[in-house]
Amino acid sequence: MSKTLLYGATKIDETNSAYAPIESLAAFQWRNRVFVIFADRDNSRAARQENQLLADRQGLGERDLVVLKISGAGVRPLFGAADGLDGEAIRRDLEALEIGEFAAFLIGKDGTVKLKVSEPITNGELFAIIDSMPQRAVETLRADQ
């Protein structure tokens, strides 16, 4: 299993495209985190990821997550509102694998990629990553007041 956590770099090279906001998902910047699932050919890993995520809709909502599933060029919102998105543009901007391969990406509220996985991730792992982000800490403090 491949898991690349892009969050937590001690020094960010802003010329590195890994830290540039994702243009095709700009409508979500500073409003939502976005979890993008690219379906594999037999769709088993994508279905497993989808089922795991949707089992905790409250957790998704608390973390301002929008979940998108991309199959080919089509984009289907699984959780949260999303209209007029181009699956090919998202695939290109995220430098995702070829059509038919599974991958999932977490995009932070700042519009940058925070996590890339090649196998489904549990809600516990995903939520722990989000909850460790500075923006989430601020949100949690505001909610407690």
PDB file of all heavy atoms in Angstrom, residues 8 11 20 29-30 38-40 45-46 66 69 71 80 87 90 94 96 105-107 109 113 118 129 145:
ATOM      1  N   GLY A   8       2.629  18.605   6.682  1.00  0.00           N
ATOM      2  CA  GLY A   8       3.611  18.546   7.747  1.00  0.00           C
ATOM      3  C   GLY A   8       5.033  18.794   7.302  1.00  0.00           C
ATOM      4  O   GLY A   8       5.963  18.558   8.060  1.00  0.00           O
ATOM      5  N   LYS A  11       9.529  22.805   5.640  1.00  0.00           N
ATOM      6  CA  LYS A  11       9.758  23.953   4.775  1.00  0.00           C
ATOM      7  C   LYS A  11       9.037  23.685   3.462  1.00  0.00           C
ATOM      8  O   LYS A  11       9.245  22.652   2.835  1.00  0.00           O
ATOM      9  CB  LYS A  11      11.253  24.161   4.510  1.00  0.00           C
ATOM     10  CG  LYS A  11      11.527  25.361   3.646  1.00  0.00           C
ATOM     11  CD  LYS A  11      13.002  25.594   3.476  1.00  0.00           C
ATOM     12  CE  LYS A  11      13.208  26.801   2.598  1.00  0.00           C
ATOM     13  NZ  LYS A  11      14.615  26.984   2.287  1.00  0.00           N
ATOM     14  N   ALA A  20       0.886  23.736  -4.701  1.00  0.00           N
ATOM     15  CA  ALA A  20       0.082  24.739  -5.403  1.00  0.00           C
ATOM     16  C   ALA A  20      -1.386  24.344  -5.303  1.00  0.00           C
ATOM     17  O   ALA A  20      -1.725  23.166  -5.366  1.00  0.00           O
ATOM     18  CB  ALA A  20       0.499  24.810  -6.873  1.00  0.00           C
ATOM     19  N   GLN A  29     -11.987  26.069  -2.197  1.00  0.00           N
ATOM     20  CA  GLN A  29     -10.898  26.631  -1.402  1.00  0.00           C
ATOM     21  C   GLN A  29     -11.424  27.522  -0.279  1.00  0.00           C
ATOM     22  O   GLN A  29     -12.279  28.371  -0.489  1.00  0.00           O
ATOM     23  CB  GLN A  29      -9.933  27.406  -2.300  1.00  0.00           C
ATOM     24  CG  GLN A  29      -8.628  27.737  -1.615  1.00  0.00           C
ATOM     25  CD  GLN A  29      -7.579  28.256  -2.581  1.00  0.00           C
ATOM     26  OE1 GLN A  29      -7.820  28.445  -3.762  1.00  0.00           O
ATOM     27  NE2 GLN A  29      -6.402  28.495  -2.065  1.00  0.00           N
ATOM     28  N   TRP A  30     -10.910  27.301   0.918  1.00  0.00           N
ATOM     29  CA  TRP A  30     -11.233  27.997   2.164  1.00  0.00           C
ATOM     30  C   TRP A  30     -12.645  27.721   2.676  1.00  0.00           C
ATOM     31  O   TRP A  30     -13.052  28.276   3.682  1.00  0.00           O
ATOM     32  CB  TRP A  30     -10.972  29.504   2.071  1.00  0.00           C
ATOM     33  CG  TRP A  30      -9.549  29.765   1.728  1.00  0.00           C
ATOM     34  CD1 TRP A  30      -9.097  30.400   0.603  1.00  0.00           C
ATOM     35  CD2 TRP A  30      -8.379  29.391   2.464  1.00  0.00           C
ATOM     36  NE1 TRP A  30      -7.719  30.428   0.604  1.00  0.00           N
ATOM     37  CE2 TRP A  30      -7.250  29.821   1.742  1.00  0.00           C
ATOM     38  CE3 TRP A  30      -8.169  28.723   3.666  1.00  0.00           C
ATOM     39  CZ2 TRP A  30      -5.951  29.611   2.172  1.00  0.00           C
ATOM     40  CZ3 TRP A  30      -6.870  28.513   4.105  1.00  0.00           C
ATOM     41  CH2 TRP A  30      -5.784  28.961   3.361  1.00  0.00           C
ATOM     42  N   PHE A  38     -10.678   8.097  -7.099  1.00  0.00           N
ATOM     43  CA  PHE A  38     -10.644   7.672  -8.494  1.00  0.00           C
ATOM     44  C   PHE A  38     -10.932   6.178  -8.515  1.00  0.00           C
ATOM     45  O   PHE A  38     -10.248   5.390  -7.855  1.00  0.00           O
ATOM     46  CB  PHE A  38      -9.271   7.954  -9.125  1.00  0.00           C
ATOM     47  CG  PHE A  38      -9.011   9.420  -9.324  1.00  0.00           C
ATOM     48  CD1 PHE A  38      -8.309  10.140  -8.381  1.00  0.00           C
ATOM     49  CD2 PHE A  38      -9.496  10.071 -10.445  1.00  0.00           C
ATOM     50  CE1 PHE A  38      -8.077  11.492  -8.551  1.00  0.00           C
ATOM     51  CE2 PHE A  38      -9.268  11.425 -10.625  1.00  0.00           C
ATOM     52  CZ  PHE A  38      -8.557  12.139  -9.676  1.00  0.00           C
ATOM     53  N   ALA A  39     -11.970   5.788  -9.245  1.00  0.00           N
ATOM     54  CA  ALA A  39     -12.421   4.394  -9.270  1.00  0.00           C
ATOM     55  C   ALA A  39     -11.462   3.523 -10.064  1.00  0.00           C
ATOM     56  O   ALA A  39     -10.929   3.948 -11.085  1.00  0.00           O
ATOM     57  CB  ALA A  39     -13.815   4.311  -9.877  1.00  0.00           C
ATOM     58  N   ASP A  40     -11.264   2.298  -9.588  1.00  0.00           N
ATOM     59  CA  ASP A  40     -10.476   1.331 -10.335  1.00  0.00           C
ATOM     60  C   ASP A  40     -11.379   0.566 -11.305  1.00  0.00           C
ATOM     61  O   ASP A  40     -12.595   0.721 -11.277  1.00  0.00           O
ATOM     62  CB  ASP A  40      -9.714   0.389  -9.408  1.00  0.00           C
ATOM     63  CG  ASP A  40     -10.571  -0.234  -8.313  1.00  0.00           C
ATOM     64  OD1 ASP A  40     -11.721   0.200  -8.139  1.00  0.00           O
ATOM     65  OD2 ASP A  40     -10.082  -1.145  -7.638  1.00  0.00           O
ATOM     66  N   ARG A  45     -12.116  -1.375  -4.859  1.00  0.00           N
ATOM     67  CA  ARG A  45     -11.453  -0.530  -3.865  1.00  0.00           C
ATOM     68  C   ARG A  45     -12.184   0.799  -3.717  1.00  0.00           C
ATOM     69  O   ARG A  45     -12.336   1.315  -2.610  1.00  0.00           O
ATOM     70  CB  ARG A  45      -9.988  -0.306  -4.235  1.00  0.00           C
ATOM     71  CG  ARG A  45      -9.166  -1.580  -4.078  1.00  0.00           C
ATOM     72  CD  ARG A  45      -7.740  -1.371  -4.436  1.00  0.00           C
ATOM     73  NE  ARG A  45      -7.638  -1.124  -5.877  1.00  0.00           N
ATOM     74  CZ  ARG A  45      -6.513  -0.903  -6.522  1.00  0.00           C
ATOM     75  NH1 ARG A  45      -5.371  -0.855  -5.859  1.00  0.00           N
ATOM     76  NH2 ARG A  45      -6.493  -0.708  -7.817  1.00  0.00           N
ATOM     77  N   ALA A  46     -12.658   1.355  -4.819  1.00  0.00           N
ATOM     78  CA  ALA A  46     -13.409   2.611  -4.754  1.00  0.00           C
ATOM     79  C   ALA A  46     -14.703   2.407  -3.973  1.00  0.00           C
ATOM     80  O   ALA A  46     -15.080   3.250  -3.153  1.00  0.00           O
ATOM     81  CB  ALA A  46     -13.698   3.134  -6.157  1.00  0.00           C
ATOM     82  N   VAL A  66     -16.128  17.403   1.459  1.00  0.00           N
ATOM     83  CA  VAL A  66     -16.890  17.067   0.268  1.00  0.00           C
ATOM     84  C   VAL A  66     -16.192  15.834  -0.300  1.00  0.00           C
ATOM     85  O   VAL A  66     -14.961  15.809  -0.399  1.00  0.00           O
ATOM     86  CB  VAL A  66     -16.877  18.217  -0.767  1.00  0.00           C
ATOM     87  CG1 VAL A  66     -17.455  17.767  -2.093  1.00  0.00           C
ATOM     88  CG2 VAL A  66     -17.636  19.417  -0.228  1.00  0.00           C
ATOM     89  N   LYS A  69     -16.372  11.168  -6.326  1.00  0.00           N
ATOM     90  CA  LYS A  69     -15.920   9.930  -6.968  1.00  0.00           C
ATOM     91  C   LYS A  69     -15.797  10.201  -8.459  1.00  0.00           C
ATOM     92  O   LYS A  69     -16.742  10.687  -9.090  1.00  0.00           O
ATOM     93  CB  LYS A  69     -16.910   8.798  -6.718  1.00  0.00           C
ATOM     94  CG  LYS A  69     -16.467   7.466  -7.289  1.00  0.00           C
ATOM     95  CD  LYS A  69     -17.461   6.387  -6.904  1.00  0.00           C
ATOM     96  CE  LYS A  69     -17.068   5.037  -7.418  1.00  0.00           C
ATOM     97  NZ  LYS A  69     -18.067   4.019  -7.036  1.00  0.00           N
ATOM     98  N   SER A  71     -15.044   8.541 -12.103  1.00  0.00           N
ATOM     99  CA  SER A  71     -14.950   7.353 -12.955  1.00  0.00           C
ATOM    100  C   SER A  71     -14.831   7.858 -14.382  1.00  0.00           C
ATOM    101  O   SER A  71     -15.763   8.495 -14.874  1.00  0.00           O
ATOM    102  CB  SER A  71     -16.193   6.482 -12.819  1.00  0.00           C
ATOM    103  OG  SER A  71     -16.331   6.019 -11.499  1.00  0.00           O
ATOM    104  N   GLY A  80     -21.791  16.071   0.251  1.00  0.00           N
ATOM    105  CA  GLY A  80     -21.604  17.506   0.049  1.00  0.00           C
ATOM    106  C   GLY A  80     -22.055  17.917  -1.344  1.00  0.00           C
ATOM    107  O   GLY A  80     -22.311  17.078  -2.205  1.00  0.00           O
ATOM    108  N   GLY A  87     -14.069  15.947 -14.502  1.00  0.00           N
ATOM    109  CA  GLY A  87     -13.251  14.839 -14.023  1.00  0.00           C
ATOM    110  C   GLY A  87     -11.884  14.777 -14.666  1.00  0.00           C
ATOM    111  O   GLY A  87     -10.888  14.480 -14.005  1.00  0.00           O
ATOM    112  N   ILE A  90      -9.670  17.491 -13.108  1.00  0.00           N
ATOM    113  CA  ILE A  90      -9.260  17.107 -11.759  1.00  0.00           C
ATOM    114  C   ILE A  90      -8.170  16.043 -11.835  1.00  0.00           C
ATOM    115  O   ILE A  90      -7.152  16.139 -11.145  1.00  0.00           O
ATOM    116  CB  ILE A  90     -10.464  16.611 -10.935  1.00  0.00           C
ATOM    117  CG1 ILE A  90     -11.460  17.758 -10.711  1.00  0.00           C
ATOM    118  CG2 ILE A  90     -10.004  16.026  -9.597  1.00  0.00           C
ATOM    119  CD1 ILE A  90     -12.783  17.327 -10.124  1.00  0.00           C
ATOM    120  N   LEU A  94      -4.401  16.745 -10.418  1.00  0.00           N
ATOM    121  CA  LEU A  94      -3.886  15.921  -9.329  1.00  0.00           C
ATOM    122  C   LEU A  94      -2.805  14.951  -9.794  1.00  0.00           C
ATOM    123  O   LEU A  94      -2.237  14.216  -8.973  1.00  0.00           O
ATOM    124  CB  LEU A  94      -5.027  15.139  -8.662  1.00  0.00           C
ATOM    125  CG  LEU A  94      -6.006  15.982  -7.860  1.00  0.00           C
ATOM    126  CD1 LEU A  94      -7.170  15.137  -7.370  1.00  0.00           C
ATOM    127  CD2 LEU A  94      -5.302  16.652  -6.695  1.00  0.00           C
ATOM    128  N   ALA A  96      -3.173  12.267 -11.335  1.00  0.00           N
ATOM    129  CA  ALA A  96      -3.648  10.941 -10.941  1.00  0.00           C
ATOM    130  C   ALA A  96      -3.231   9.901 -11.968  1.00  0.00           C
ATOM    131  O   ALA A  96      -2.850  10.222 -13.090  1.00  0.00           O
ATOM    132  CB  ALA A  96      -5.167  10.960 -10.796  1.00  0.00           C
ATOM    133  N   PHE A 105      -7.282  11.216  -2.923  1.00  0.00           N
ATOM    134  CA  PHE A 105      -6.548  12.417  -2.541  1.00  0.00           C
ATOM    135  C   PHE A 105      -7.367  13.200  -1.536  1.00  0.00           C
ATOM    136  O   PHE A 105      -8.578  13.333  -1.684  1.00  0.00           O
ATOM    137  CB  PHE A 105      -6.326  13.319  -3.759  1.00  0.00           C
ATOM    138  CG  PHE A 105      -5.407  12.763  -4.798  1.00  0.00           C
ATOM    139  CD1 PHE A 105      -5.856  11.831  -5.718  1.00  0.00           C
ATOM    140  CD2 PHE A 105      -4.085  13.186  -4.874  1.00  0.00           C
ATOM    141  CE1 PHE A 105      -5.012  11.323  -6.687  1.00  0.00           C
ATOM    142  CE2 PHE A 105      -3.242  12.683  -5.842  1.00  0.00           C
ATOM    143  CZ  PHE A 105      -3.697  11.753  -6.750  1.00  0.00           C
ATOM    144  N   LEU A 106      -6.680  13.772  -0.560  1.00  0.00           N
ATOM    145  CA  LEU A 106      -7.288  14.718   0.357  1.00  0.00           C
ATOM    146  C   LEU A 106      -6.742  16.096   0.010  1.00  0.00           C
ATOM    147  O   LEU A 106      -5.528  16.302   0.003  1.00  0.00           O
ATOM    148  CB  LEU A 106      -6.943  14.377   1.810  1.00  0.00           C
ATOM    149  CG  LEU A 106      -7.389  15.402   2.857  1.00  0.00           C
ATOM    150  CD1 LEU A 106      -8.914  15.533   2.894  1.00  0.00           C
ATOM    151  CD2 LEU A 106      -6.837  15.032   4.228  1.00  0.00           C
ATOM    152  N   ILE A 107      -7.650  17.019  -0.287  1.00  0.00           N
ATOM    153  CA  ILE A 107      -7.288  18.394  -0.592  1.00  0.00           C
ATOM    154  C   ILE A 107      -7.706  19.234   0.618  1.00  0.00           C
ATOM    155  O   ILE A 107      -8.865  19.182   1.046  1.00  0.00           O
ATOM    156  CB  ILE A 107      -8.033  18.916  -1.850  1.00  0.00           C
ATOM    157  CG1 ILE A 107      -7.979  17.902  -2.993  1.00  0.00           C
ATOM    158  CG2 ILE A 107      -7.517  20.287  -2.253  1.00  0.00           C
ATOM    159  CD1 ILE A 107      -6.624  17.482  -3.433  1.00  0.00           C
ATOM    160  N   LYS A 109      -8.310  22.785   2.942  1.00  0.00           N
ATOM    161  CA  LYS A 109      -9.062  24.016   2.688  1.00  0.00           C
ATOM    162  C   LYS A 109      -8.231  25.060   1.962  1.00  0.00           C
ATOM    163  O   LYS A 109      -8.777  25.928   1.293  1.00  0.00           O
ATOM    164  CB  LYS A 109      -9.603  24.591   3.995  1.00  0.00           C
ATOM    165  CG  LYS A 109     -10.813  23.848   4.519  1.00  0.00           C
ATOM    166  CD  LYS A 109     -11.462  24.589   5.659  1.00  0.00           C
ATOM    167  CE  LYS A 109     -12.765  23.931   6.055  1.00  0.00           C
ATOM    168  NZ  LYS A 109     -13.431  24.655   7.139  1.00  0.00           N
ATOM    169  N   VAL A 113      -2.853  19.558  -1.980  1.00  0.00           N
ATOM    170  CA  VAL A 113      -2.943  18.129  -1.695  1.00  0.00           C
ATOM    171  C   VAL A 113      -2.279  17.847  -0.354  1.00  0.00           C
ATOM    172  O   VAL A 113      -1.127  18.222  -0.134  1.00  0.00           O
ATOM    173  CB  VAL A 113      -2.260  17.297  -2.809  1.00  0.00           C
ATOM    174  CG1 VAL A 113      -2.263  15.816  -2.451  1.00  0.00           C
ATOM    175  CG2 VAL A 113      -2.950  17.526  -4.143  1.00  0.00           C
ATOM    176  N   SER A 118      -2.994   4.890  -2.386  1.00  0.00           N
ATOM    177  CA  SER A 118      -3.273   3.964  -3.488  1.00  0.00           C
ATOM    178  C   SER A 118      -4.136   2.795  -3.040  1.00  0.00           C
ATOM    179  O   SER A 118      -4.451   1.917  -3.839  1.00  0.00           O
ATOM    180  CB  SER A 118      -1.968   3.450  -4.095  1.00  0.00           C
ATOM    181  OG  SER A 118      -1.238   2.747  -3.118  1.00  0.00           O
ATOM    182  N   ILE A 129      -5.600  12.560  10.410  1.00  0.00           N
ATOM    183  CA  ILE A 129      -4.783  13.463   9.582  1.00  0.00           C
ATOM    184  C   ILE A 129      -5.420  14.847   9.548  1.00  0.00           C
ATOM    185  O   ILE A 129      -4.754  15.858   9.770  1.00  0.00           O
ATOM    186  CB  ILE A 129      -4.607  12.882   8.163  1.00  0.00           C
ATOM    187  CG1 ILE A 129      -3.712  11.643   8.223  1.00  0.00           C
ATOM    188  CG2 ILE A 129      -4.040  13.930   7.204  1.00  0.00           C
ATOM    189  CD1 ILE A 129      -3.726  10.802   6.969  1.00  0.00           C
ATOM    190  N   GLN A 145     -16.246  27.303  21.881  1.00  0.00           N
ATOM    191  CA  GLN A 145     -16.570  28.588  22.527  1.00  0.00           C
ATOM    192  C   GLN A 145     -18.035  28.891  22.526  1.00  0.00           C
ATOM    193  O   GLN A 145     -18.829  28.474  21.831  1.00  0.00           O
ATOM    194  CB  GLN A 145     -15.818  29.721  21.840  1.00  0.00           C
ATOM    195  CG  GLN A 145     -14.328  29.600  22.044  1.00  0.00           C
ATOM    196  CD  GLN A 145     -13.547  30.684  21.316  1.00  0.00           C
ATOM    197  OE1 GLN A 145     -14.113  31.501  20.601  1.00  0.00           O
ATOM    198  NE2 GLN A 145     -12.256  30.687  21.513  1.00  0.00           N
TER     199      GLN A 145
END
